[in-house]
Amino acid sequence: SDAIDVMLGTVLDCLQAAETVPVRRAAAEALFHLLGHSREALSSADPASRGTHIVRAAISLCRTNLTNDGPEHPEVAAVGLRCIGRFVSEHFAIIGPHLSSVCPVVLAAVRWVPQLVAVQALEFWTSLANHEISNQVYDDGAVREAATLLVPALLEL
């Protein structure tokens, strides 16, 4: 767990906007893989603070330098969206409180080019829908709220 904590700290440092695009992309890939091994690290001591910091970092990967067509660096945004999708699948308790910040970014990403980013955004919605179905959240779930915006975006693809 100590090693995971050190790696998470290093990865978060490398996700800063001041870093070069290749460093940020590599750090995002590392974060994606670390999320699969960090259940204990995220549930120990002060998980809300650590988890919030990681979620915000992943969201920032998707928002960086947006243009009308999407992110300036789609390869970084795509990995950020993969991280957010993994949070939904494996650490919903941490990302759940941030859905009001996450959902608009991911909804916008469905329309972004290149297709790689849009596909990762759709994976997020699929993971979120699976979570809500398995937890029997039907009437007030995030997917239901977003459906009126999500369906037209899907039809445009």
Side-chain angles (χ1 to χ4, degrees), residues 6-121:
V6 170
M7 286 187 273
L8 280 172
T10 302
V11 164
L12 289 172
D13 288 344
C14 292
L15 290 175
Q16 301 301 315
E19 292 292 343
T20 64
V21 172
V23 168
R24 293 182 76 221
R25 181 167 189 256
E29 287 284 354
L31 176 61
F32 177 79
H33 294 291
L34 278 170
L35 288 174
H37 302 283
S38 60
R39 190 172 315 274
E40 184 180 320
L42 291 173
S43 63
S44 65
D46 190 8
S49 171
R50 180 181 293 128
T52 295
H53 191 66
I54 295 170
V55 169
R56 287 182 182 155
I59 293 170
S60 74
L61 291 171
C62 303
R63 286 185 176 159
T64 304
N65 298 325
L66 290 178
T67 67
N68 289 336
D69 293 325
E72 184 178 356
H73 301 290
E75 67 279 7
V76 175
V79 181
L81 288 165
R82 283 180 54 213
C83 291
I84 291 169
R86 189 160 208 176
F87 258 111
V88 168
S89 298
E90 299 177 16
H91 306 284
F92 189 83
I94 294 171
I95 200 167
H98 302 280
L99 286 178
S100 63
S101 298
V102 171
C103 288
V105 172
V106 180
L107 185 60
V110 170
R111 291 189 168 109
W112 291 344
V113 287
Q115 186 178 6
L116 172 68
V117 177
V119 168
Q120 291 304 317

Side-chain angles (χ1 to χ4, degrees), residues 124-147:
F124 163 83
W125 290 108
T126 302
S127 295
L128 185 56
N130 286 336
H131 174 81
E132 290 181 354
I133 289 168
S134 67
N135 288 289
Q136 300 179 349
V137 178
Y138 301 117
D139 294 330
D140 59 349
V143 173
R144 183 178 179 100
E145 286 182 34

